């Protein structure tokens, strides 16, 4: 069986096709295809409130390419989810309708809470039962914060701040204070808190850190790498550090969110699992297929 997940974010759209592997009673997903394309919808939406006709045309071309890839791989089922930029766009629902009529592909506009839930469904597997965690997921347009005691989520909140929104200076002036207040009010006191970071920017930054422990880095490591990247011009980040153009400009503002949230929670270490929204969508696709049988 092959299934696919398409995540249309504020910065990029990504598709993953995976084979479903079964071993006794457990299942796992083996990646067979992964494609990422920088649509940059947030640039439109956070500045003008709508998706431009040019961006709409690119969405359609990309989805047609994804459609062909899924046909070649003989995918059994898939789901498309769009997050912050498309759900906030004044013409987002109209574009979704046109894509369904023209391509036969249904896009689900999901709220921040649903986005967090899908990610959380796959994150819990890396959490230990006797620890407290602050899960930070930074996208292009929104940041989802979740607090766990063991594998039990005790608080969650979505904030309208993300890498592209920060880059365009379109975040609300009081959003930093609101995030800080929420973390301070909801993170249990007098306990050691470990951060869990998901999202393309923290994954890239984490991979650039040397001498890290498996899937864990210290706050000092993250700050040091962020400061190192920040010293380079945009051109040098692309040519010398070999960052993609659509990563080079947003990685520093995204890092500031992770670092700030860690400091507010008193977290000195961050776990960066190779998991995200696409993995949560894959799990939902699989569970939906099983329920239909």
């Amino acid at each position: 069986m092959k299934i696919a997940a398409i995540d249309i974010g504020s910065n990029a759209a990504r598709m993953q096709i995976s084979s479903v592997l079964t071993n006794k009673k457990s299942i796992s997903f083996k990646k067979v295809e992964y494609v990422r394309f920088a649509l940059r919808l947030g640039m439109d939406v956070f500045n003008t409130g709508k998706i431009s006709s040019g961006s709409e045309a690119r969405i359609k071309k990309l989805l047609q390419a994804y459609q062909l890839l899924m046909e070649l791989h003989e995918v059994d089922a898939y789901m498309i989810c769009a997050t912050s930029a498309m759900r906030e766009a004044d013409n987002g629902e109209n574009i979704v309708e046109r894509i369904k009529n023209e391509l036969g592909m249904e896009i689900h506009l999901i709220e921040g809470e649903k986005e967090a839930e899908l990610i959380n469904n796959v994150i819990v597997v890396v959490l230990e039962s006797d620890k407290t965690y602050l899960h930070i997921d930074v996208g292009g347009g929104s940041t989802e914060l979740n607090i766990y005691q063991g594998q039990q989520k005790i608080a969650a909140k979505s904030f309208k701040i993300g890498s592209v929104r920060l880059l365009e200076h379109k975040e609300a002036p009081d959003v930093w204070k609101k995030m800080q207040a929420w973390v301070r009010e909801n993170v249990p006191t007098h306990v050691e808190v470990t951060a869990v970071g998901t999202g393309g920017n923290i994954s890239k930054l984490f991979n650039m850190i040397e001498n890290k422990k498996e899937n864990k880095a210290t706050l000092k490591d993250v700050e040091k790498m962020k400061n190192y990247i920040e010293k380079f011009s945009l051109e040098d980040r692309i040519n010398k550090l070999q960052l993609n153009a659509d990563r080079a400009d947003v990685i520093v503002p995204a890092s500031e969110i992770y670092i700030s949230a860690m400091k507010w929670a008193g977290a000195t270490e961050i776990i960066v699992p190779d998991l995200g929204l696409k993995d949560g969508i894959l799990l939902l696709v699989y569970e939906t297929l099983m329920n239909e049988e």
Side-chain angles (χ1 to χ4, degrees):
M1 183 193 293
K2 285 182 185 174
I3 57 176
I6 298 172
D7 162 21
I8 303 175
S10 302
N11 188 35
R14 48 192 68 78
M15 177 183 71
Q16 181 166 318
I17 298 172
S18 292
S19 292
V20 179
L21 306 180
T22 54
N23 182 16
K24 295 179 181 176
K25 290 186 177 179
S26 68
I27 62 110
S28 59
F29 305 128
K30 185 179 186 297
K31 179 167 64 179
V32 294
E33 189 79 67
Y34 176 77
V35 185
R36 179 183 179 278
F37 184 82
L39 281 173
R40 282 285 163 110
L41 299 182
M43 294 289 198
D44 286 348
V45 178
F46 306 144
N47 284 297
T48 68
K50 55 176 64 178
I51 293 167
S52 68
S53 56
S55 290
E56 181 179 347
R58 281 195 300 278
I59 295 168
K60 288 175 182 175
K61 281 183 183 177
L62 184 63
L63 287 178
Q64 283 175 310
Y66 285 171
Q67 201 171 36
L68 287 171
L69 265 175
M70 288 192 289
E71 284 176 16
L72 285 168
H73 280 284
E74 298 180 349
V75 165
D76 295 281
Y78 72 93
M79 178 179 276
I80 309 170
C81 291
T83 56
S84 187
M86 194 175 270
R87 73 174 173 247
E88 287 182 35
D90 292 338
N91 58 344
E93 290 187 1
N94 291 334
I95 290 171
V96 167
E97 194 173 332
R98 283 196 287 273
I99 287 170
K100 188 171 184 180
N101 290 336
E102 292 172 30
L103 303 179
M105 303 178 84
E106 186 175 1
I107 299 173
H108 301 267
L109 297 177
I110 59 171
E111 294 298 325
E113 289 75 14
K114 182 64 177 177
E115 184 179 349
E117 180 192 323
L118 290 172
I119 299 168
N120 295 345
N121 289 342
V122 290
I123 287 296
V124 291
V125 299
V126 304
L127 307 183
E128 295 178 33
S129 59
D130 59 344
K131 293 187 177 179
T132 301
Y133 299 92
L134 172 65
H135 172 216
I136 312 156
D137 182 75
V138 179
S142 66
T143 294
E144 324 305 331
L145 297 179
N146 306 279
I147 299 166
Y148 285 89
Q149 284 187 322
Q151 295 179 326
Q152 187 70 37
K153 184 164 67 173
I154 60 170
K157 184 78 174 173
S158 179
F159 294 90
K160 283 189 178 182
I161 184 171
S163 58
V164 177
R165 209 187 286 267
L166 279 176
L167 190 68
E168 297 295 297
H169 305 291
K170 295 299 178 182
E171 76 279 9
D174 61 345
V175 70
W176 287 103
K177 286 183 179 178
K178 285 183 175 177
M179 268 204 304
Q180 181 178 7
W182 186 86
V183 171
R184 294 242 163 109
E185 285 169 16
N186 289 279
V187 170
T189 54
H190 311 302
V191 296
E192 186 180 320
V193 177
T194 302
V196 180
T198 53
N201 287 297
I202 193 65
S203 294
K204 186 62 185 178
L205 186 143
F206 178 78
N207 288 336
M208 293 172 73
I209 296 171
E210 295 178 358
N211 305 318
K212 54 185 176 281
K213 295 183 291 184
E214 293 184 14
N215 68 342
K216 192 181 287 186
T218 66
L219 173 58
K220 283 185 180 178
D221 288 335
V222 175
E223 285 189 289
K224 189 176 176 182
M225 183 51 68
K226 176 253 186 186
N227 293 336
Y228 173 74
I229 296 168
E230 198 169 20
K231 289 176 185 174
F232 289 83
S233 67
L234 188 61
E235 187 178 350
D236 282 346
R237 290 179 199 177
I238 295 166
N239 294 308
K240 292 182 179 178
L241 300 183
Q242 297 183 14
L243 294 173
N244 289 338
D246 66 296
R247 180 74 68 212
D249 56 355
V250 295
I251 193 166
V252 170
S255 301
E256 287 169 357
I257 301 175
Y258 290 103
I259 290 165
S260 297
M262 286 180 73
K263 286 180 175 177
W264 297 332
T268 58
E269 289 188 316
I270 184 167
I271 297 168
V272 184
D274 185 21
L275 296 167
L277 179 58
K278 59 180 172 49
D279 302 281
I281 298 170
L282 283 171
L283 182 61
L284 181 59
V285 171
Y286 174 76
E287 288 174 345
T288 303
L289 269 179
M290 292 301 98
N291 289 335
E292 287 174 356
E293 287 186 358

